[in-house]
Amino acid sequence: EPVSSMRDVLVKNLPQVEVLAGNAESIPLEDQSLDAVFVANAFHWFDAPKALAEIRRVLKIGGGLGLIWLNDGVFSSPWGKGIDQMLIPFESLAPQRKSGVWRKAFDQSDFFSPLQEQQLRHEREITPDLVIDRVASLSFIAVLQETENRAFLERVKGLLETHPLTAGRPTHKVECTTD
């Protein structure tokens, strides 16, 4: 984990786990020391060619790489598509998985086999407060100036209060996917 405050949280919550400072382009482990590498909701942030070379270095022969993306359903639900549209002007402030740019490194790699994809689905109920917390957690929203951040989240709250599928309801159903 490259961010010290995130490492601190990990150590606090999982004291039995060894936590190392590092990043995908500089993994602090020996050559061919891992059977598998898993990356959750992050590969699109990496310098993909450098990260793949580094992952190749630490993987044992025959080892595997798993990329996981969790989609909590907020932005793909019928009412959440309105939120997704509101986010478009801010998305350029951070790398986006949906751009697909990260895939190019795999096309240029002779070490990894072609990507294989699966999608798992499930439904869950989410409250308006959790929707707002989810939107606030997006990196490109979290870095906005406080007044702009607050105003944007108020717009999201307004959408939830007025959309025909969410107005006056304590929870909202969303279809979640894991890719």
Side-chain angles (χ1 to χ4, degrees), residues 45-153:
W45 284 93
F46 301 166
D47 178 331
K50 288 181 181 177
L52 284 182
E54 186 67 352
I55 291 167
R56 176 182 180 173
R57 180 188 69 76
V58 299
L59 278 176
K60 293 177 182 175
I61 301 299
L65 169 61
L67 306 180
I68 302 165
W69 277 280
L70 306 172
N71 173 351
D72 57 21
V74 168
F75 309 114
S76 58
S77 66
W79 51 266
K81 290 179 182 176
I83 298 171
D84 197 45
Q85 289 297 306
M86 292 165 56
L87 292 169
I88 290 172
F90 301 98
E91 288 180 338
S92 65
L93 301 174
Q96 297 295 309
R97 172 200 174 210
K98 62 186 171 184
S99 75
V101 171
W102 58 272
R103 291 176 178 272
K104 292 178 185 175
F106 287 94
D107 295 338
Q108 299 167 352
S109 172
D110 59 354
F111 182 75
F112 295 94
S113 60
L115 292 171
Q116 299 176 29
E117 298 183 49
Q118 281 190 316
Q119 188 173 76
L120 307 171
R121 298 175 184 269
H122 72 281
E123 285 188 345
R124 73 179 182 126
E125 296 282 324
I126 189 169
T127 66
D129 286 342
L130 288 175
V131 171
I132 292 168
D133 288 349
R134 172 65 177 105
V135 173
S137 76
L138 295 169
S139 60
F140 50 89
I141 297 302
V143 299
L144 295 175
Q145 296 293 326
E146 187 176 340
T147 54
E148 188 177 13
N149 181 293
R150 195 172 23 243
F152 185 80
L153 296 176

